[in-house]
């Protein structure tokens, strides 16, 4: 079979998965020069050829296509401009934009065709899918992005830390610009997507793909006690209650009219980790999270498929959860006063802390509040003056 240069297609990739390893073959098109007629005219044509590839080469090809431009974008901009200049031509360009977009998607999409060399490998893959389908039964899940220390615990339901999380979807997925002949299950958490494929664990982040061998992945479980301020998932385990605005003794802070009780729940955190990658998935149902971790870890332990490691870029992965010690803006003057050894009056401290002056003056010598230690030092005019010491925020 010969194709002209304009008829070249995205090469089809055949991936054979078996107990002895994974092989990658690609149906590509190699150029040939042929002489036709008495004029000795050279015509460049392309013939089918099967070549062996490495996993790194396949991933590199995928990312080059993913990062290639959408030419339909330029057509769309031109159509939008003409909308205000010459409407009929704008309609024609809109149709052209749609046609070019469909061609863009076809050009940027990589077809991956999987073939299992033995029943063992096929069974192990579908057992992995079954584990993810069980995990998908949880009512809610989030990707845990970071943990941020907060100093204003009384306005944070008594908690010293806030979790930055992103809603996720667990289930059957349509990988971005990949076309496969197998069902793909995984986790879509917006800025990061995890896909379960027969040969590797695919990660899509920052507009590129990376692929992790299953032999390098570990799945573990952590418990998380969390004050849920959003809608409570029906399968969450409630272990207590607190107030949105809470006193030091755990009671409701009566200064706030819109104070309400909040549930303290116990979630499960499934951790996917390798030497260069870690991802945290909060699961509302702790029992389901525990069951998934056990079953998926067993499947990973049985994995004897040998795959070469791929080079990874630290910029593609969130290697650790950053824990940022942030102080609320209204408390920064207190921290500055502590660092400079300044003394503040009762009214100044009351205004910064958001409490009444009587709350402060009822302390005869000293008191601790919001990560600061206050000690009476004398008087400034008609008011009591206080020395300020910053204790730091504990997470």
């Amino acid at each position: 079979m010969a194709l002209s240069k304009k008829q070249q297609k995205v090469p089809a990739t055949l991936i054979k998965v078996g107990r002895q390893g994974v092989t990658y073959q690609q149906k590509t098109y190699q150029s040939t020069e042929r002489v036709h007629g008495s004029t000795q005219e050279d015509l460049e044509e392309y013939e089918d050829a099967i070549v062996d590839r490495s996993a790194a080469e396949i991933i590199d090809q995928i990312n080059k296509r993913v990062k290639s431009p959408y030419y339909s974008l330029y057509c769309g901009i031109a159509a939008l401009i003409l909308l205000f200049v010459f409407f009929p031509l704008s309609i024609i360009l809109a149709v052209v934009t749609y046609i070019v977009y469909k061609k863009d998607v076809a050009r940027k999409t990589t077809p991956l065709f999987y073939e299992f060399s033995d029943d063992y490998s096929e069974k192990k893959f579908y057992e992995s899918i079954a584990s993810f389908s069980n995990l998908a039964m949880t009512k809610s899940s989030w990707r845990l992005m970071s943990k941020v220390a907060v100093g204003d615990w009384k306005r944070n339901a008594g908690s010293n830390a806030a979790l930055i999380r992103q809603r996720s979807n667990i289930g059957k997925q349509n990988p971005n610009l990949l076309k496969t002949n197998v069902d793909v299950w995984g986790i879509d958490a917006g800025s990061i997507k995890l896909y379960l494929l027969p040969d590797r664990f695919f990660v899509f982040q920052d507009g590129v793909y990376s692929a992790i061998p299953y032999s390098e992945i570990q799945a573990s479980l952590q418990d998380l006690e969390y004050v849920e301020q959003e809608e409570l998932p029906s399968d969450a385990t409630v272990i207590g209650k607190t107030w949105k605005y809470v006193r030091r003794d755990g009671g409701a802070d009566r200064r706030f009219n819109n104070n309400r009780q909040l549930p303290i729940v116990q979630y499960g955190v499934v951790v996917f980790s390798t030497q260069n990658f870690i991802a945290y998935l909060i699961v509302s149902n702790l029992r389901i999270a525990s069951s998934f971790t056990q079953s998926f870890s067993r499947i990973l332990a049985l994995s004897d498929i040998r795959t070469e490691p791929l080079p990874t870029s630290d910029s593609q992965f969130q290697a650790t959860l950053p824990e940022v010690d942030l102080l609320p803006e209204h408390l920064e003057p207190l921290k500055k006063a502590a660092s400079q050894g300044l003394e503040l009056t009762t009214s100044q401290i009351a205004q910064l802390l958001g409490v009444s002056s009587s709350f402060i003056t009822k302390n005869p010598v000293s008191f601790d509040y919001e990560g600061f230690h206050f000690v009476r030092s004398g008087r400034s005019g008609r008011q009591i003056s206080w020395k300020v010491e910053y204790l730091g925020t504990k997470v």
Side-chain angles (χ1 to χ4, degrees), residues 87-142:
F87 182 75
L89 185 56
S90 175
I91 297 298
I92 296 174
L93 268 178
V95 175
V96 172
T97 299
Y98 176 76
I99 296 173
V100 175
Y101 172 75
K102 299 295 287 186
K103 291 184 178 295
D104 279 340
V105 172
R107 171 179 53 83
K108 291 165 64 68
T109 298
T110 300
L112 301 177
F113 298 95
Y114 287 93
E115 182 179 290
F116 296 98
S117 302
D118 50 64
D119 293 339
Y120 171 82
S121 302
E122 185 174 11
K123 179 182 178 182
K124 186 162 67 63
F125 173 63
Y126 285 104
E127 284 181 350
S128 300
I129 287 180
S131 293
F132 269 81
S133 65
N134 290 334
L135 183 63
M137 295 174 64
T138 188
K139 298 300 182 182
S140 298
S141 62
W142 307 262

Side-chain angles (χ1 to χ4, degrees), residues 7-305:
Q7 291 176 309
Q8 290 183 75
K9 298 180 180 180
V10 174
T13 302
L14 175 63
I15 305 174
K16 295 182 179 180
V17 181
R19 298 192 67 161
Q20 302 306 314
V22 180
T23 61
Y24 299 85
Q25 292 182 330
Q26 212 165 55
K27 180 181 179 182
T28 188
Y29 307 96
Q30 297 181 344
S31 63
T32 60
E33 289 187 357
R34 298 187 180 184
V35 179
H36 293 266
S38 58
T39 61
Q40 301 293 310
E41 181 183 4
D42 291 342
L43 296 178
E44 188 177 37
E45 294 184 345
Y46 291 80
E47 292 185 342
D48 293 356
I50 303 298
V51 295
D52 292 329
R53 300 290 190 192
S54 67
E57 288 176 314
I58 299 300
I59 295 298
D60 184 58
Q61 289 178 5
I62 291 173
N63 286 329
K64 283 182 178 178
R65 295 189 191 108
V66 168
K67 291 188 290 185
S68 64
Y70 278 97
Y71 297 114
S72 54
L73 177 63
Y74 306 113
C75 297
I77 294 174
L80 186 61
I81 293 174
L82 287 175
L83 179 64
F84 302 98
V85 179
F86 189 60
F87 182 75
L89 185 56
S90 175
I91 297 298
I92 296 174
L93 268 178
V95 175
V96 172
T97 299
Y98 176 76
I99 296 173
V100 175
Y101 172 75
K102 299 295 287 186
K103 291 184 178 295
D104 279 340
V105 172
R107 171 179 53 83
K108 291 165 64 68
T109 298
T110 300
L112 301 177
F113 298 95
Y114 287 93
E115 182 179 290
F116 296 98
S117 302
D118 50 64
D119 293 339
Y120 171 82
S121 302
E122 185 174 11
K123 179 182 178 182
K124 186 162 67 63
F125 173 63
Y126 285 104
E127 284 181 350
S128 300
I129 287 180
S131 293
F132 269 81
S133 65
N134 290 334
L135 183 63
M137 295 174 64
T138 188
K139 298 300 182 182
S140 298
S141 62
W142 307 262
R143 176 195 169 206
L144 175 56
M145 300 176 66
S146 63
K147 185 196 302 186
V148 180
V150 295
D152 196 5
W153 58 267
K154 73 177 186 297
R155 291 180 173 85
N156 197 45
S159 177
N160 289 323
L163 301 185
I164 308 301
R165 58 183 185 173
Q166 187 174 28
R167 181 74 66 172
S168 69
N169 174 45
I170 306 170
K172 191 179 294 186
Q173 307 289 337
N174 293 313
N176 186 44
L177 297 175
L178 290 181
K179 182 180 179 181
T180 73
N181 62 326
V182 297
D183 289 339
V184 180
W185 283 70
I187 303 166
D188 183 348
S191 59
I192 183 172
K193 298 174 176 61
L194 309 177
Y195 299 125
L196 189 74
L197 287 167
D199 59 329
R200 292 172 184 270
F201 203 58
F202 276 55
V203 180
F204 186 75
Q205 187 177 18
D206 296 331
V208 294
Y209 277 102
S210 296
I212 306 172
Y214 287 108
S215 58
E216 297 182 6
I217 300 175
Q218 291 185 342
S220 58
L221 179 68
Q222 299 177 3
D223 291 346
L224 172 67
E225 290 188 8
Y226 184 71
V227 179
E228 185 57 81
Q229 301 194 43
E230 299 179 8
E231 183 180 357
L232 178 66
S234 60
D235 60 349
T237 301
V238 179
I239 59 175
K241 291 184 178 181
T242 186
W243 295 91
K244 182 178 181 180
Y245 304 105
V246 63
R247 299 197 310 262
R248 188 176 296 276
D249 61 3
D253 192 330
R254 302 300 180 185
R255 295 173 302 163
F256 298 92
N257 295 327
N258 60 338
N259 204 354
R260 60 189 176 93
Q261 275 196 314
L262 299 171
I264 304 173
V265 297
Q266 190 170 34
Y267 289 152
V269 181
V270 178
V271 185
F272 300 97
S273 60
T274 70
Q275 186 175 0
N276 299 309
F277 168 76
I278 190 165
Y280 298 85
L281 181 70
I282 303 174
V283 179
S284 60
N285 190 310
L286 180 60
R287 180 185 58 80
I288 289 178
S290 177
S291 175
F292 167 79
T293 305
Q294 293 177 22
S295 63
F296 194 61
S297 295
R298 177 182 57 81
I299 295 169
L300 293 175
L302 294 174
S303 176
D304 56 5
I305 294 179

